[in-house]
Amino acid sequence: MNTVQSADGTTIAYDRLGEGEPLILVGGSFSERAHPTMTQLAEELAPHFTVFNYDRRGRGDSGDAAEYAVEREIEDLAALIAEAGGSARVFGLSAGGALAFKAAAAGLDITQIAVYDPPYVVDESGPRPPAGFTARLAELSASGKRAEAVEFFMTEGMGAPAEAVAGMKFAPFWAGLEALAHTLPYDTTIVGDDFALPAEELASVTAPVFVVHGGEADAWLKASAQAVTDALPDARRHALAGQGIAVDPAVLAPELKNFFAN
């Protein structure tokens, strides 16, 4: 494990694998660098790039601050880019992709961006989070109601059926979801309470972008991927056959390698 200090003094932990041009992986909701998706993706890409797989603030071995602001997460990414040599390619998973877009729009030296399942709601096929969604998530997690926060996020934010989420509570991975409940308001702050497409922000991103979504994804995520592609100045979209939200890194990695290598 390596660490770097962010601008506010927060310690950001990361693993560095491979040799070549730098590539930073940005996790999404319920994701930290030790998550199997992130570790396998890093290993798959390490033969081609120097991969920085990091814990976003509040997760894993990284520190946090008393108050959250998107600007601090952009500074975290800036610190990693500086550690990588001053510029880098970036891959963002779900809300991590939204963070990558904000970082690029803020002027960070990101040479290429790839995202998987950007989670914006652009038509009536998607979930519509209730008013005060982020504040309610923060209230639940801060009061120790972590299970309720996870359930609220998955049903009201991601549109998962309540009965499916209820069944997840008996799965071995549920404890890991609860452990990251306090970071869910971070992601919804990045994406926005209403999950609206940030068209003006996307229009300012000049780096080439590769927008990937699962071929088996819900209709709203497919629509989001198309809308993101249309809003960006230099982007192309790709549907990954047979994949959904839980993407197989062995299937995704070759597509990312081909994009980032060109």
Side-chain angles (χ1 to χ4, degrees):
M1 185 185 78
N2 303 281
T3 62
V4 65
Q5 297 298 116
S6 192
D8 70 343
T10 299
T11 298
I12 302 299
Y14 69 94
D15 294 327
R16 177 172 176 160
L17 299 80
E19 296 292 336
E21 295 297 314
L23 168 59
I24 299 173
L25 307 183
V26 186
S29 300
F30 301 119
S31 180
E32 51 192 351
R33 82 181 200 283
H35 190 283
T37 298
M38 303 306 291
T39 57
Q40 187 180 344
L41 193 58
E43 290 166 359
E44 294 276 351
L45 292 166
H48 313 287
F49 307 96
T50 299
V51 182
F52 292 76
N53 179 25
Y54 79 105
D55 282 325
R56 288 172 53 197
R57 61 174 51 214
R59 308 169 193 233
D61 294 305
S62 287
D64 205 353
E67 294 185 8
Y68 179 77
V70 177
E71 290 77 12
R72 302 294 82 75
E73 286 228 58
I74 293 173
E75 290 168 357
D76 299 344
L77 191 49
L80 285 161
I81 291 173
E83 193 78 358
S87 65
R89 298 158 174 80
V90 172
F91 165 73
L93 178 65
S94 188
L99 177 57
F101 289 140
K102 285 191 175 297
L108 271 61
D109 194 350
I110 298 174
T111 57
Q112 293 172 289
I113 302 171
V115 298
Y116 187 82
D117 275 354
Y120 303 111
V121 177
V122 300
D123 61 23
E124 295 308 310
S125 67
R128 293 288 176 183
F133 184 57
T134 296
R136 180 58 177 159
L137 279 173
E139 177 187 345
L140 288 170
S141 60
S143 61
K145 298 178 180 179
R146 289 179 170 270
E148 290 91 333
V150 172
E151 186 173 14
F152 183 66
F153 176 82
M154 297 182 85
T155 56
E156 299 297 327
M158 301 307 294
E163 59 273 17
V165 176
M168 291 180 192
K169 294 180 180 179
F170 300 98
F173 60 77
W174 183 262
L177 302 185
E178 285 193 27
L180 292 168
H182 64 286
T183 66
L184 295 175
Y186 300 1
D187 289 332
T188 57
T189 299
I190 291 167
V191 178
D193 239 11
D194 56 0
F195 292 14
L197 184 79
E200 185 175 343
E201 178 179 273
L202 293 173
S204 72
V205 175
T206 57
V209 180
F210 186 40
V211 182
V212 189
H213 65 84
E216 304 302 316
D218 290 344
W220 73 274
L221 286 170
K222 293 179 180 178
S224 173
Q226 185 61 63
V228 168
T229 304
D230 292 342
L232 289 159
D234 183 3
R236 61 185 177 93
R237 180 180 63 86
H238 178 69
L240 206 54
Q243 299 300 302
I245 290 179
V247 64
D248 183 348
V251 177
L252 176 60
E255 302 294 339
L256 297 181
K257 182 260 180 182
N258 290 339
F259 169 70
F260 285 127
N262 296 313

